[in-house]
Amino acid sequence: MNPMTCWMVAVLALLPALAIPVLAACRGGTRTRLVAVQLANAVATPTLVLMTFAFDQSSFVELALSLALLSLPGTLIMALFLERWV
């Protein structure tokens, strides 16, 4: 089996898109960090789904589903916690 499948190429193509919100979360203000977390979750979910096909592990789908379901409430709770500074 060829280790560099088209699925792995797609995963590697999404990694630079994941680096942008990570840098924004490290360097930005509070509002920028909230937006960066949402963007990172939006990029990480399809990346995990693609990793399911690349590595033939069905557990990544469950992880992607959990991330997708918990990302919005987590961000809202974080915004509520940081409300006095936002």
Side-chain angles (χ1 to χ4, degrees):
M1 183 162 131
N2 188 1
M4 196 60 138
T5 62
C6 63
W7 300 110
M8 196 61 185
V9 170
V11 168
L12 292 174
L14 283 176
L15 286 181
L18 190 60
I20 293 169
V22 168
L23 288 174
C26 291
R27 304 185 83 174
T30 305
R31 286 180 233 167
T32 306
R33 289 178 183 172
L34 286 172
V35 173
V37 167
Q38 276 299 108
L39 181 59
N41 287 330
V43 173
T45 301
T47 304
L48 287 170
V49 172
L50 287 172
M51 285 175 65
T52 298
F53 296 110
F55 297 124
D56 198 24
Q57 292 285 328
S58 62
S59 60
F60 288 133
V61 169
E62 296 168 2
L63 186 61
L65 182 61
S66 299
L67 178 66
L69 290 175
L70 294 175
S71 66
L72 180 62
T75 304
L76 290 176
I77 289 171
M78 190 166 71
L80 184 65
F81 178 72
L82 298 173
E83 182 178 7
R84 60 193 106 160
W85 296 290
V86 174

